Amino acid sequence: MVTSTERSSRMPRVNISKEHPDVYRHVAELSTAAGAAAAGAGLDPQLVELIRLRVSQLNGCAFCCRLHTRDALRAGESADRLAVLPAWWETQYFTDIEKSALGLAEEVTRLSVPARDDWDDGSLTAEQVSAVSWLAVVMSAWNRVAIRSGYRVAP
């Protein structure tokens, strides 16, 4: 019997965006729609990048972590807040809305982990809950595209 580890070590890296560009285009369209929903729900662009970065951290996608760290900095995010993002709940750097959004994004990303509600103080509207959820869903899809395709992360 071939184990999943043995099978994956023999499975070639294939850039799935090039093999199926139409599917890739639809993911890009979904990503654009999720970003527009976040803007329409009144989510700050810095928070959107924090969500994208945190989801990428949880999924272990180096390519997307680098990309969204740079995007967050361009959006005006501070290096201090980015440095503590992996432990956001332990800091006083984040607002109640940001904590709620980050907690929700983690919940959506880690479906196998029991939901925690200690981060939810009711700061998010239903529209914002939906927008954050879509951002996390789409970012997880991008992470999987980048990881499976072997996107390079070089200095």
mmCIF file of all heavy atoms in Angstrom, residues 7-40:
data_model
loop_
_atom_site.group_PDB
_atom_site.id
_atom_site.type_symbol
_atom_site.label_atom_id
_atom_site.label_comp_id
_atom_site.label_asym_id
_atom_site.label_seq_id
_atom_site.Cartn_x
_atom_site.Cartn_y
_atom_site.Cartn_z
ATOM 1 N N ARG A 7 3.150 8.906 -1.915
ATOM 2 C CA ARG A 7 2.499 9.361 -3.141
ATOM 3 C C ARG A 7 2.836 10.820 -3.426
ATOM 4 O O ARG A 7 3.177 11.168 -4.545
ATOM 5 C CB ARG A 7 0.991 9.182 -3.007
ATOM 6 C CG ARG A 7 0.209 9.478 -4.260
ATOM 7 C CD ARG A 7 -1.272 9.250 -4.072
ATOM 8 N NE ARG A 7 -1.539 9.297 -2.658
ATOM 9 C CZ ARG A 7 -2.425 8.552 -2.002
ATOM 10 N NH1 ARG A 7 -3.168 7.741 -2.600
ATOM 11 N NH2 ARG A 7 -2.595 8.633 -0.710
ATOM 12 N N SER A 8 2.782 11.689 -2.404
ATOM 13 C CA SER A 8 3.057 13.109 -2.641
ATOM 14 C C SER A 8 4.519 13.355 -2.999
ATOM 15 O O SER A 8 4.826 14.295 -3.703
ATOM 16 C CB SER A 8 2.641 13.952 -1.441
ATOM 17 O OG SER A 8 3.438 13.644 -0.325
ATOM 18 N N SER A 9 5.416 12.506 -2.491
ATOM 19 C CA SER A 9 6.819 12.708 -2.823
ATOM 20 C C SER A 9 7.092 12.341 -4.279
ATOM 21 O O SER A 9 8.070 12.798 -4.854
ATOM 22 C CB SER A 9 7.723 11.917 -1.883
ATOM 23 O OG SER A 9 7.543 10.535 -2.091
ATOM 24 N N ARG A 10 6.258 11.543 -4.876
ATOM 25 C CA ARG A 10 6.423 11.181 -6.287
ATOM 26 C C ARG A 10 5.563 12.034 -7.212
ATOM 27 O O ARG A 10 5.766 12.032 -8.409
ATOM 28 C CB ARG A 10 6.066 9.708 -6.488
ATOM 29 C CG ARG A 10 7.045 8.794 -5.799
ATOM 30 C CD ARG A 10 6.831 7.376 -6.187
ATOM 31 N NE ARG A 10 5.429 7.000 -6.073
ATOM 32 C CZ ARG A 10 5.012 5.791 -5.761
ATOM 33 N NH1 ARG A 10 5.863 4.836 -5.525
ATOM 34 N NH2 ARG A 10 3.733 5.509 -5.691
ATOM 35 N N MET A 11 4.598 12.720 -6.656
ATOM 36 C CA MET A 11 3.693 13.546 -7.446
ATOM 37 C C MET A 11 4.439 14.789 -7.910
ATOM 38 O O MET A 11 5.002 15.515 -7.106
ATOM 39 C CB MET A 11 2.491 13.959 -6.610
ATOM 40 C CG MET A 11 1.492 14.817 -7.327
ATOM 41 S SD MET A 11 0.130 13.975 -8.145
ATOM 42 C CE MET A 11 -0.373 12.720 -7.030
ATOM 43 N N PRO A 12 4.468 15.048 -9.211
ATOM 44 C CA PRO A 12 5.199 16.223 -9.693
ATOM 45 C C PRO A 12 4.490 17.522 -9.306
ATOM 46 O O PRO A 12 3.267 17.553 -9.174
ATOM 47 C CB PRO A 12 5.190 16.041 -11.213
ATOM 48 C CG PRO A 12 3.977 15.219 -11.484
ATOM 49 C CD PRO A 12 3.821 14.308 -10.285
ATOM 50 N N ARG A 13 5.277 18.561 -9.124
ATOM 51 C CA ARG A 13 4.703 19.893 -8.925
ATOM 52 C C ARG A 13 4.206 20.371 -10.275
ATOM 53 O O ARG A 13 4.934 20.334 -11.264
ATOM 54 C CB ARG A 13 5.748 20.874 -8.407
ATOM 55 C CG ARG A 13 6.125 20.653 -6.997
ATOM 56 C CD ARG A 13 5.071 21.198 -6.081
ATOM 57 N NE ARG A 13 5.468 20.951 -4.703
ATOM 58 C CZ ARG A 13 4.633 21.001 -3.703
ATOM 59 N NH1 ARG A 13 3.387 21.303 -3.901
ATOM 60 N NH2 ARG A 13 5.044 20.764 -2.489
ATOM 61 N N VAL A 14 2.977 20.787 -10.304
ATOM 62 C CA VAL A 14 2.363 21.276 -11.525
ATOM 63 C C VAL A 14 1.764 22.639 -11.219
ATOM 64 O O VAL A 14 1.054 22.800 -10.226
ATOM 65 C CB VAL A 14 1.248 20.306 -12.004
ATOM 66 C CG1 VAL A 14 0.494 20.892 -13.175
ATOM 67 C CG2 VAL A 14 1.819 18.949 -12.340
ATOM 68 N N ASN A 15 2.074 23.613 -12.039
ATOM 69 C CA ASN A 15 1.485 24.935 -11.860
ATOM 70 C C ASN A 15 0.036 24.852 -12.335
ATOM 71 O O ASN A 15 -0.255 24.930 -13.529
ATOM 72 C CB ASN A 15 2.274 25.985 -12.645
ATOM 73 C CG ASN A 15 1.784 27.372 -12.341
ATOM 74 O OD1 ASN A 15 0.608 27.596 -12.066
ATOM 75 N ND2 ASN A 15 2.689 28.328 -12.404
ATOM 76 N N ILE A 16 -0.863 24.656 -11.375
ATOM 77 C CA ILE A 16 -2.258 24.422 -11.725
ATOM 78 C C ILE A 16 -2.915 25.639 -12.374
ATOM 79 O O ILE A 16 -3.882 25.485 -13.112
ATOM 80 C CB ILE A 16 -3.071 23.909 -10.518
ATOM 81 C CG1 ILE A 16 -3.149 24.948 -9.402
ATOM 82 C CG2 ILE A 16 -2.492 22.595 -10.008
ATOM 83 C CD1 ILE A 16 -4.043 24.531 -8.234
ATOM 84 N N SER A 17 -2.371 26.829 -12.135
ATOM 85 C CA SER A 17 -2.934 28.014 -12.787
ATOM 86 C C SER A 17 -2.652 28.008 -14.285
ATOM 87 O O SER A 17 -3.451 28.512 -15.074
ATOM 88 C CB SER A 17 -2.378 29.293 -12.156
ATOM 89 O OG SER A 17 -0.986 29.387 -12.324
ATOM 90 N N LYS A 18 -1.543 27.408 -14.680
ATOM 91 C CA LYS A 18 -1.204 27.322 -16.104
ATOM 92 C C LYS A 18 -1.897 26.132 -16.775
ATOM 93 O O LYS A 18 -2.248 26.185 -17.948
ATOM 94 C CB LYS A 18 0.304 27.223 -16.277
ATOM 95 C CG LYS A 18 1.017 28.520 -15.879
ATOM 96 C CD LYS A 18 2.438 28.533 -16.354
ATOM 97 C CE LYS A 18 3.243 29.717 -15.929
ATOM 98 N NZ LYS A 18 2.623 30.968 -15.741
ATOM 99 N N GLU A 19 -2.109 25.064 -16.029
ATOM 100 C CA GLU A 19 -2.782 23.891 -16.588
ATOM 101 C C GLU A 19 -4.267 24.143 -16.835
ATOM 102 O O GLU A 19 -4.836 23.628 -17.778
ATOM 103 C CB GLU A 19 -2.613 22.682 -15.653
ATOM 104 C CG GLU A 19 -1.223 22.115 -15.641
ATOM 105 C CD GLU A 19 -0.805 21.541 -16.988
ATOM 106 O OE1 GLU A 19 -1.634 20.909 -17.678
ATOM 107 O OE2 GLU A 19 0.362 21.750 -17.375
ATOM 108 N N HIS A 20 -4.873 24.921 -15.960
ATOM 109 C CA HIS A 20 -6.303 25.233 -16.082
ATOM 110 C C HIS A 20 -6.523 26.730 -15.854
ATOM 111 O O HIS A 20 -7.047 27.152 -14.821
ATOM 112 C CB HIS A 20 -7.122 24.402 -15.085
ATOM 113 C CG HIS A 20 -7.146 22.961 -15.414
ATOM 114 N ND1 HIS A 20 -6.277 22.057 -14.865
ATOM 115 C CD2 HIS A 20 -7.926 22.271 -16.293
ATOM 116 C CE1 HIS A 20 -6.513 20.868 -15.359
ATOM 117 N NE2 HIS A 20 -7.505 20.961 -16.246
ATOM 118 N N PRO A 21 -6.138 27.547 -16.828
ATOM 119 C CA PRO A 21 -6.220 29.005 -16.655
ATOM 120 C C PRO A 21 -7.643 29.521 -16.463
ATOM 121 O O PRO A 21 -7.834 30.541 -15.796
ATOM 122 C CB PRO A 21 -5.574 29.562 -17.926
ATOM 123 C CG PRO A 21 -5.586 28.446 -18.906
ATOM 124 C CD PRO A 21 -5.565 27.177 -18.115
ATOM 125 N N ASP A 22 -8.636 28.828 -17.018
ATOM 126 C CA ASP A 22 -10.015 29.289 -16.830
ATOM 127 C C ASP A 22 -10.447 29.154 -15.377
ATOM 128 O O ASP A 22 -11.135 30.025 -14.843
ATOM 129 C CB ASP A 22 -10.980 28.512 -17.733
ATOM 130 C CG ASP A 22 -10.852 28.892 -19.190
ATOM 131 O OD1 ASP A 22 -10.251 29.952 -19.482
ATOM 132 O OD2 ASP A 22 -11.354 28.137 -20.047
ATOM 133 N N VAL A 23 -10.041 28.080 -14.729
ATOM 134 C CA VAL A 23 -10.372 27.898 -13.313
ATOM 135 C C VAL A 23 -9.654 28.969 -12.491
ATOM 136 O O VAL A 23 -10.246 29.587 -11.596
ATOM 137 C CB VAL A 23 -10.002 26.477 -12.827
ATOM 138 C CG1 VAL A 23 -10.307 26.317 -11.347
ATOM 139 C CG2 VAL A 23 -10.750 25.422 -13.642
ATOM 140 N N TYR A 24 -8.394 29.203 -12.800
ATOM 141 C CA TYR A 24 -7.613 30.239 -12.123
ATOM 142 C C TYR A 24 -8.305 31.598 -12.273
ATOM 143 O O TYR A 24 -8.418 32.355 -11.306
ATOM 144 C CB TYR A 24 -6.201 30.281 -12.707
ATOM 145 C CG TYR A 24 -5.289 31.272 -12.037
ATOM 146 C CD1 TYR A 24 -4.544 30.920 -10.924
ATOM 147 C CD2 TYR A 24 -5.164 32.573 -12.530
ATOM 148 C CE1 TYR A 24 -3.697 31.830 -10.304
ATOM 149 C CE2 TYR A 24 -4.325 33.485 -11.919
ATOM 150 C CZ TYR A 24 -3.593 33.108 -10.806
ATOM 151 O OH TYR A 24 -2.768 34.018 -10.201
ATOM 152 N N ARG A 25 -8.769 31.899 -13.469
ATOM 153 C CA ARG A 25 -9.453 33.173 -13.716
ATOM 154 C C ARG A 25 -10.703 33.295 -12.843
ATOM 155 O O ARG A 25 -10.993 34.359 -12.294
ATOM 156 C CB ARG A 25 -9.821 33.297 -15.201
ATOM 157 C CG ARG A 25 -10.453 34.632 -15.566
ATOM 158 C CD ARG A 25 -10.736 34.744 -17.061
ATOM 159 N NE ARG A 25 -11.344 33.571 -17.661
ATOM 160 C CZ ARG A 25 -12.646 33.260 -17.573
ATOM 161 N NH1 ARG A 25 -13.464 34.035 -16.886
ATOM 162 N NH2 ARG A 25 -13.122 32.178 -18.161
ATOM 163 N N HIS A 26 -11.430 32.190 -12.669
ATOM 164 C CA HIS A 26 -12.629 32.231 -11.818
ATOM 165 C C HIS A 26 -12.269 32.460 -10.347
ATOM 166 O O HIS A 26 -12.995 33.164 -9.637
ATOM 167 C CB HIS A 26 -13.449 30.951 -11.983
ATOM 168 C CG HIS A 26 -14.154 30.866 -13.300
ATOM 169 N ND1 HIS A 26 -15.104 31.776 -13.712
ATOM 170 C CD2 HIS A 26 -14.040 29.975 -14.305
ATOM 171 C CE1 HIS A 26 -15.546 31.456 -14.910
ATOM 172 N NE2 HIS A 26 -14.904 30.359 -15.299
ATOM 173 N N VAL A 27 -11.162 31.887 -9.893
ATOM 174 C CA VAL A 27 -10.710 32.138 -8.524
ATOM 175 C C VAL A 27 -10.346 33.622 -8.388
ATOM 176 O O VAL A 27 -10.686 34.265 -7.383
ATOM 177 C CB VAL A 27 -9.516 31.231 -8.134
ATOM 178 C CG1 VAL A 27 -8.952 31.625 -6.773
ATOM 179 C CG2 VAL A 27 -9.939 29.773 -8.122
ATOM 180 N N ALA A 28 -9.687 34.175 -9.390
ATOM 181 C CA ALA A 28 -9.339 35.600 -9.364
ATOM 182 C C ALA A 28 -10.602 36.470 -9.325
ATOM 183 O O ALA A 28 -10.659 37.466 -8.600
ATOM 184 C CB ALA A 28 -8.467 35.962 -10.568
ATOM 185 N N GLU A 29 -11.616 36.097 -10.092
ATOM 186 C CA GLU A 29 -12.878 36.832 -10.084
ATOM 187 C C GLU A 29 -13.551 36.737 -8.713
ATOM 188 O O GLU A 29 -14.086 37.731 -8.200
ATOM 189 C CB GLU A 29 -13.811 36.311 -11.175
ATOM 190 C CG GLU A 29 -13.351 36.653 -12.577
ATOM 191 C CD GLU A 29 -14.118 35.908 -13.666
ATOM 192 O OE1 GLU A 29 -14.991 35.070 -13.336
ATOM 193 O OE2 GLU A 29 -13.838 36.160 -14.852
ATOM 194 N N LEU A 30 -13.518 35.554 -8.112
ATOM 195 C CA LEU A 30 -14.079 35.366 -6.778
ATOM 196 C C LEU A 30 -13.320 36.215 -5.759
ATOM 197 O O LEU A 30 -13.915 36.839 -4.881
ATOM 198 C CB LEU A 30 -14.031 33.882 -6.394
ATOM 199 C CG LEU A 30 -14.605 33.510 -5.036
ATOM 200 C CD1 LEU A 30 -16.083 33.875 -4.940
ATOM 201 C CD2 LEU A 30 -14.407 32.015 -4.792
ATOM 202 N N SER A 31 -12.011 36.274 -5.906
ATOM 203 C CA SER A 31 -11.190 37.080 -5.016
ATOM 204 C C SER A 31 -11.545 38.567 -5.140
ATOM 205 O O SER A 31 -11.664 39.271 -4.131
ATOM 206 C CB SER A 31 -9.710 36.856 -5.340
ATOM 207 O OG SER A 31 -8.890 37.562 -4.453
ATOM 208 N N THR A 32 -11.724 39.023 -6.353
ATOM 209 C CA THR A 32 -12.118 40.413 -6.581
ATOM 210 C C THR A 32 -13.481 40.689 -5.955
ATOM 211 O O THR A 32 -13.686 41.718 -5.306
ATOM 212 C CB THR A 32 -12.142 40.721 -8.091
ATOM 213 O OG1 THR A 32 -10.817 40.540 -8.607
ATOM 214 C CG2 THR A 32 -12.600 42.140 -8.370
ATOM 215 N N ALA A 33 -14.415 39.766 -6.119
ATOM 216 C CA ALA A 33 -15.750 39.927 -5.547
ATOM 217 C C ALA A 33 -15.702 39.940 -4.021
ATOM 218 O O ALA A 33 -16.399 40.732 -3.374
ATOM 219 C CB ALA A 33 -16.673 38.813 -6.046
ATOM 220 N N ALA A 34 -14.867 39.086 -3.428
ATOM 221 C CA ALA A 34 -14.740 39.061 -1.968
ATOM 222 C C ALA A 34 -14.140 40.367 -1.466
ATOM 223 O O ALA A 34 -14.572 40.907 -0.432
ATOM 224 C CB ALA A 34 -13.893 37.871 -1.525
ATOM 225 N N GLY A 35 -13.162 40.908 -2.182
ATOM 226 C CA GLY A 35 -12.579 42.198 -1.815
ATOM 227 C C GLY A 35 -13.598 43.320 -1.905
ATOM 228 O O GLY A 35 -13.656 44.196 -1.040
ATOM 229 N N ALA A 36 -14.418 43.282 -2.942
ATOM 230 C CA ALA A 36 -15.460 44.299 -3.101
ATOM 231 C C ALA A 36 -16.512 44.175 -1.993
ATOM 232 O O ALA A 36 -16.996 45.186 -1.468
ATOM 233 C CB ALA A 36 -16.118 44.168 -4.476
ATOM 234 N N ALA A 37 -16.842 42.946 -1.614
ATOM 235 C CA ALA A 37 -17.796 42.735 -0.522
ATOM 236 C C ALA A 37 -17.228 43.282 0.783
ATOM 237 O O ALA A 37 -17.953 43.897 1.577
ATOM 238 C CB ALA A 37 -18.127 41.252 -0.385
ATOM 239 N N ALA A 38 -15.934 43.079 1.007
ATOM 240 C CA ALA A 38 -15.296 43.596 2.222
ATOM 241 C C ALA A 38 -15.331 45.121 2.241
ATOM 242 O O ALA A 38 -15.650 45.728 3.270
ATOM 243 C CB ALA A 38 -13.859 43.087 2.311
ATOM 244 N N ALA A 39 -15.023 45.735 1.105
ATOM 245 C CA ALA A 39 -15.077 47.199 1.020
ATOM 246 C C ALA A 39 -16.506 47.684 1.222
ATOM 247 O O ALA A 39 -16.746 48.654 1.958
ATOM 248 C CB ALA A 39 -14.520 47.669 -0.321
ATOM 249 N N GLY A 40 -17.462 47.010 0.587
ATOM 250 C CA GLY A 40 -18.866 47.380 0.721
ATOM 251 C C GLY A 40 -19.392 47.227 2.136
ATOM 252 O O GLY A 40 -20.303 47.944 2.553
#
